Amino acid sequence: MSVRTLRIWMVTAFAGSVLTACIGIAGCGTKGSSEEQGSALRAGTGTDWILDVHPVFQTVRFAVPKSEGVTLPSERTPADAVLALLDQYKDVFGMKDPKSEWRLTSTKPGDRGFTHLRFQQTSRGVPVFGSDWTAAIDPSGKLTSMSGVYVPGTDAADIQPTKSADALAAAVRADVQKRIPGLGAADIDTKVNAQLLIYAAEGIAPALAMEVASTARNGAEVDIDHYLVDARTAAILLRAPALMSEYAQGYGASHYPPYNASSSKVSFPVSKGNGAWKLDATTKSANVRIVTDVKDKDIVSGKDATLEASKVPVDWVDDTTPKGAAVDSQAHFAAVVDAYKDLYGRNSYDDKGAEIRASINDNVAGSVNAFFLPGSTSGGCTGRFGIGDGDKDYYPLGASVDVLAHEFTHGVSQCTWGGSAGSYTAAATNEAMSDILAVFISGRIEGGKPTSVGRNISKGDSRIIRQLDNPKCPTVDDLDTCAPRSRRYEHEEHYASTIVSYAWYLMTFGGAHKTTQQTVACPIGWEASGKLWYDVETKDLSKSPDFKAVANATLAAGKRQKLPLDAIACAWVAVKVITADDAKKDWNVTCAGADDAGASDAGTFGDGGVLVKPGTSLVCPGSSHLN
């Protein structure tokens, strides 16, 4: 029997006013060619720059000086200095008035004395959906990188709403009923967020919008979506997934200390209120609260009850309400929270000690599933977790430490770069980041250097849901066959995510690409990779990234951390996200044996990795970083 397909949650953009790249948008795009942009920056700053332009808005989305850093204008604060630089070169970056349009949202310290800034674009005080800007500043005050999304032409949007909240909710209910025939009004709940936004995308000119959350119940099926609706016409602009979900493994709480003691009884405080039992435990940084329906009295049977922890999978024989589900979920979430604190110093998913609220026996996304449900798709940093029961073929999801790490990381993404909304690449990036950081967290908890997510979930065999070292999609050229069109996306996001995670695997461990047989030698190693990808997740990614934006982020972070860039660049060449010419021109990395025009079979490399043809023998200079 094959592993069942995950329920697919996708994003659809609806037709509105026509915006094809910059057509019809006043002030849209950068001024001049990329060469002219680079020349202007070089003349003003005294160094060459690596620049990348947004494929839709034609504004600069990535800018890294090739030198160690650029001196910023003298201003009162680092944020003011970054905005002054953007204002000085606003024609290069395609921005209209950076000082008034960008609002500082966070200032975070980084490793080695770096400071990381993040800004939100606004227009006349209204936030612009999917737009942010990041900047990294070294201890001497020099700028080392910038990236993000700037939406041009937002001043053309009328910011006076003309439709009531009831009208927007009615538009959403009509769309839900069109998608799911047979639903009545009582089957659909809607909630309107009064926060005004400006939204633009390919095919949609900047428009005033409000967010409407919908929950539709169709028998056992539950459809949860966040919509953006035009606040002046009630047209649907965007439908975004509200659940980020994943399968998991089935080890059980007794897989590691202290839950592997001879006794299977573990005590936690229990309380009852509002028809539900609550299991609470405090970790090093945040409270974990597990909630179950009152029907599950055999799991939590009263105040100060002793709860039964499950044993390794064979003890799960009840197909409806597995014993130990509450304890497993609490134990694994607590372990994930503590591992994030130990490994990265992070204080819960929001880095502010937010309570981890998770419901067991929660099959809203299917019983063989777990999910993170963000409070909003347009921003904010709230959400809850749900854990399915499994079924006769699959173990309960609370038994999975790697899947709970995956779901927890969806919360981290929501609170840093915003998670997935707007495209299959953003959704795929969200899934890949959750997989990549989940293996570091599960490795911290269980030991080893895992390269897969979803181990031992099935009761009958040892199938793995996603193998990061053996991806469903080995290159972007394979997307049409490996990740076919889903209900709303051009490509299914869980399958497409393996392009990013395979690049992670190659730069971390090295080895031959599974289809091209090109080899990434001299990898950066496990520990360096863990620091690199956490930095990318929390400091370098901006909203709605595509795969090249992720590649740019890893290279900028690697440069900042003084890692050898060869393996990082050549891993992205191997999965065909960037070309060998890009690697050479922008990063001075020669990926020998690559298919691209201009690539050399015997290029030079620095103190890290290089993409080579099979059978080529290389010695890694400075290979002490390997682990």
Side-chain angles (χ1 to χ4, degrees), residues 11 23 29-30 102 106 156 191 193 221 225 228 237 255 349 373 419 468 477-478 482 491 500 508 510 555 566 582 602:
V11 177
I23 296 175
T30 59
W102 291 114
S106 71
K191 183 178 180 180
N193 186 336
E221 290 286 312
D225 289 292
L228 291 185
L237 300 174
H255 184 63
Y349 65 88
L373 178 62
L468 280 58
D477 290 349
D478 302 308
C482 68
H491 297 291
V500 175
T508 302
L555 286 158
D566 307 68
D582 291 334

Side-chain angles (χ1 to χ4, degrees), residues 385-457:
F385 302 89
I387 304 166
D389 283 332
D391 61 12
K392 62 184 180 62
D393 298 312
Y394 295 93
Y395 294 117
L397 278 293
S400 167
V401 72
D402 66 349
V403 79
L404 297 192
H406 175 105
E407 300 306 335
F408 184 94
T409 305
H410 278 315
V412 176
S413 297
Q414 175 74 12
C415 293
T416 52
W417 58 275
S420 58
S423 68
Y424 84 89
T425 54
T429 297
N430 199 1
E431 296 300 331
M433 297 306 297
S434 282
D435 280 351
I436 290 165
L437 289 174
V439 299
F440 287 113
I441 294 300
S442 63
R444 175 78 176 190
I445 295 167
E446 299 179 324
K449 300 173 183 177
T451 59
S452 62
V453 176
R455 302 176 294 277
N456 303 329
I457 182 177

Side-chain angles (χ1 to χ4, degrees), residues 252-268 281-284 307 309-311 327-328 330-336 338 401 445-446:
S254 56
H255 184 63
Y256 60 90
Y259 306 103
N260 60 355
S262 57
S263 171
S264 64
K265 303 293 183 179
V266 182
S267 295
F268 293 105
T282 301
T283 69
K284 295 176 182 178
L307 308 178
S310 62
K311 297 198 174 190
V327 173
D328 284 349
Q330 190 281 334
H332 284 124
F333 257 129
V336 168
D338 284 348
V401 72
I445 295 167
E446 299 179 324

